[in-house]
Amino acid sequence: MKLYNTKRGLLIESEGKFYNAATARLDEILGGGDILAIAREAVKGSPVDTPSSEELLAPVQNQEVWASGVTYYRSRNARIEESKDSGGGDFYDRVYTAERPELFFKSVGSRVVRPGGSVRIRKDSKWNVPEPELVLVINSDGEIVGLTVGNDMSSRDIEGENPLYLPQAKVYDGSCAIGPCILILEGPIDKNSAIWLEIQRNGVAAFEGSTTLRELKRDPKELVSYLYREMTFAEGAMLFTGTGIVPGDDFTLDQGDKVLITIDGIGTLENVIA
Ligand code: DO4
Ligand code: MG
């Protein structure tokens, strides 16, 4: 079952049909509710109209959005390459092999871009990529109760100039998109799931790549345990798990590019570069 946040409120999708969720707020569901029980109850009702793409909102309310970094070998290598002139590369190898993961703050819920909305490139950056990532939906008890798709927009030139510039490379208006829905977990995460990235320019594929969750070096539960180690999240949290797909060093995003990120079993997050 999947949960959609829409202009009509929360909807549950089951076997292609949509149902109203009795509890209207994700904050309540992730802050002490039982997402699976709420979904099971919802599908006992009568089906409602399928939401149009214009009705979709990002499946996040007051949750903080955090991100993990350098959790795939491809990400380690790309960062080492982009920071070779600043001497920052060693940091990335060290965090890739360290016990403690890299975690950074990405967005407040209100800044997250909706599915179909526009993500942005910073005006003071010349080298930009989308980062297609599995996003963990975590309740206030630190349990992973769902999965969604995220785009961790990143300015590679700013990040490569100095590792201390990471927050500026990663956190700005329009840098974080999540959606289209939350896959409600009813069992373990399927490590065979693939993540696909397609970037279209003028309607033609300018970049295509894929990876699978088998390439993710860290256990999602381990990432969550570090995030929740010294912080409470009364309304739950969202945690990006890192990117395993980075376009070649000669690629940068352009205005008007369309970014499509698909994760098996969840769906496709589509955004245009403003
Ligand atoms: O360390 C820099 C950011 C890493 C990141 O966002 C990723 O690996 O996905
Ligand atoms: Mg990332």
Side-chain angles (χ1 to χ4, degrees):
M1 286 184 287
K2 294 175 181 173
L3 181 146
Y4 286 79
N5 189 18
T6 78
K7 292 178 183 167
R8 274 188 272 147
L10 298 183
L11 300 178
I12 303 295
E13 185 201 344
S14 174
E15 296 175 358
K17 292 196 175 110
F18 287 81
Y19 303 85
N20 277 321
T23 307
R25 292 196 55 80
L26 197 54
D27 291 349
E28 285 163 22
I29 295 178
L30 297 179
D34 180 341
I35 193 168
L36 198 50
I38 287 165
R40 287 188 174 137
E41 195 56 37
V43 301
K44 290 181 187 161
S46 305
V48 297
D49 289 344
T50 299
S52 66
S53 48
E54 289 75 35
E55 283 182 286
L56 294 187
L57 303 174
V60 53
Q61 286 177 334
N62 280 316
Q63 291 70 39
E64 289 178 21
V65 181
W66 286 74
S68 323
V70 198
T71 51
Y72 289 80
Y73 196 59
R74 174 68 188 118
S75 177
R76 168 203 175 271
N77 291 348
R79 316 281 161 190
I80 291 175
E81 188 57 30
E82 78 192 8
S83 54
K84 61 179 188 300
D85 295 336
S86 68
D90 185 38
F91 280 90
Y92 296 108
D93 182 50
R94 280 163 51 192
V95 80
Y96 183 73
T97 51
E99 194 181 326
R100 183 188 291 273
E102 176 196 359
L103 297 177
F104 59 92
F105 180 76
K106 180 70 185 171
S107 184
V108 291
S110 58
R111 281 218 178 92
V112 175
V113 175
R114 59 181 286 276
S118 298
V119 289
R120 289 185 61 250
I121 294 171
R122 287 182 68 111
K123 290 195 196 78
D124 56 359
S125 170
K126 292 190 167 55
W127 187 18
N128 290 272
V129 288
E131 292 191 355
E133 304 190 15
L134 176 75
V135 179
L136 309 174
V137 180
I138 312 156
N139 68 15
S140 52
D141 290 332
E143 294 158 346
I144 304 169
V145 295
L147 304 174
T148 183
V149 182
N151 180 356
D152 171 25
M153 289 285 291
S154 301
S155 298
R156 294 191 68 189
D157 48 353
I158 295 175
E159 184 181 82
E161 200 177 328
N162 189 316
L164 297 181
Y165 293 161
L166 180 90
Q168 295 176 74
K170 294 282 191 180
V171 185
Y172 55 89
D173 286 344
S175 68
C176 178
I178 293 180
C181 63
I182 293 172
L183 171 70
I184 300 169
L185 273 179
E186 297 186 54
I189 299 174
D190 181 1
K191 290 208 172 131
N192 291 317
S193 294
I195 303 179
W196 313 80
L197 170 64
E198 182 180 347
I199 304 170
Q200 295 176 358
R201 186 162 296 165
N202 303 319
V204 179
F207 175 82
E208 285 176 299
S210 67
T211 188
T212 77
L213 294 181
R214 292 218 168 272
E215 303 302 315
L216 175 59
K217 184 172 186 267
R218 306 216 181 231
D219 180 354
K221 284 190 181 147
E222 171 204 335
L223 295 172
V224 174
S225 78
Y226 271 96
L227 181 64
Y228 275 59
R229 197 177 259 202
E230 286 290 337
M231 271 194 299
T232 46
F233 296 93
E235 284 132 355
M238 307 271 163
L239 180 58
F240 280 61
T241 53
T243 188
I245 308 169
V246 185
D249 293 348
D250 54 350
F251 181 89
T252 187
L253 283 169
D254 212 348
Q255 288 178 5
D257 286 354
K258 192 184 271 188
V259 178
L260 299 111
I261 303 171
T262 304
I263 303 186
D264 288 344
I266 308 174
T268 301
L269 172 66
E270 192 179 316
N271 296 101
V272 172
I273 309 296

